[in-house]
Amino acid sequence: MTLRYLSRADVESLALGMDRVIEAVETGFRLKGLGQTQMPPKIAIRPRGSGTFLHAMPAYVGGDLDTACVKWVGGADDNYKLGLPTISGLLVVNDPQTMVPLCVMDCGWVTAMRTGAANAVAMKYLGPTEPAEVAVLGCGVQGRSNLLAMATQFPSVQRCRIWDPNDQAADAYLREMSERVDVRVDVVSSP
């Protein structure tokens, strides 16, 4: 039995583009609609009350993917004070036949990218066909992945209005995302 460990750097080094992530998320949604997945509700604990959580999220995706895993993700609102990400966790991938663990991997990048991709897929089916503008409320990790996903899914997006209660976070987002996507990014004063 060989157990592989993939750090966040290992995961990011795969250089999967947002287009591939969106495609994978859309496939997962399609398989869920076809009844080929098992995804029970999250199991959650709040060790120190509000502001912290741990979630266990087991899932099985059938079809050609045939994958079984558990995502163990935690969050703490005050982690930024310690220079830590708000959300962190691991993904344990198991052999779907034997249930032997095959891989333990950091899931920070996966979680961020999947969140943005899920919103892009939802907007593909529920939103306008060629949006020219989008808005991002909250300029953290998920705000970044959401704009990246929208810009990937919709080349028609020309402008993004952003808001964050923290002016420094909004300014950092503006600088970073203006370089990453070909979209005009403007900070606005209120949601």
Side-chain angles (χ1 to χ4, degrees):
M1 196 170 89
T2 302
L3 181 65
R4 179 168 294 194
Y5 175 78
L6 300 175
S7 68
R8 181 174 181 132
D10 293 331
V11 174
E12 288 182 8
S13 74
L14 297 172
L16 289 176
M18 181 55 86
D19 56 336
R20 301 255 328 262
V21 178
I22 292 170
E23 181 183 320
V25 168
E26 187 167 4
T27 297
F29 285 163
R30 182 177 52 74
L31 292 172
K32 182 164 179 44
L34 294 171
Q36 295 182 21
T37 66
Q38 296 176 45
M39 194 170 75
K42 294 177 188 178
I43 299 167
I45 60 172
R46 295 193 173 275
R48 295 190 177 179
S50 69
T52 64
F53 69 85
L54 283 170
H55 290 165
M57 295 175 271
Y60 171 74
V61 179
D64 292 338
L65 296 178
D66 197 27
T67 302
C69 62
V70 176
K71 186 166 117 174
W72 180 248
V73 80
D77 291 345
D78 291 337
N79 275 0
Y80 73 94
K81 295 176 185 174
L82 303 171
L84 296 171
T86 301
I87 305 293
S88 62
L90 296 173
L91 186 66
V92 179
V93 181
N94 297 74
D95 179 289
Q97 181 175 347
T98 65
M99 290 301 136
V100 170
L102 302 173
C103 178
V104 175
M105 59 189 281
D106 180 274
C107 72
W109 183 88
V110 171
T111 297
M113 295 293 277
R114 188 224 43 96
T115 300
N119 289 333
V121 172
M123 195 159 149
K124 175 181 175 180
Y125 292 99
L126 303 173
T129 56
E130 293 187 19
E133 292 189 31
V134 294
V136 171
L137 303 179
C139 295
V141 172
Q142 291 183 11
R144 284 166 167 76
S145 69
N146 271 281
L147 179 54
L148 181 58
M150 293 299 143
T152 300
Q153 183 72 33
F154 302 101
S156 59
V157 173
Q158 299 170 9
R159 182 179 184 196
C160 177
R161 297 174 197 231
I162 63 169
W163 177 82
D164 195 283
N166 180 318
D167 291 339
Q168 292 88 359
D171 290 341
Y173 183 101
L174 173 67
R175 285 190 306 276
E176 179 186 335
M177 296 310 290
S178 292
E179 292 180 14
R180 290 184 68 187
V181 296
D182 187 24
V183 171
R184 177 179 157 191
V185 180
D186 294 317
V187 178
V188 297
S189 61
S190 72

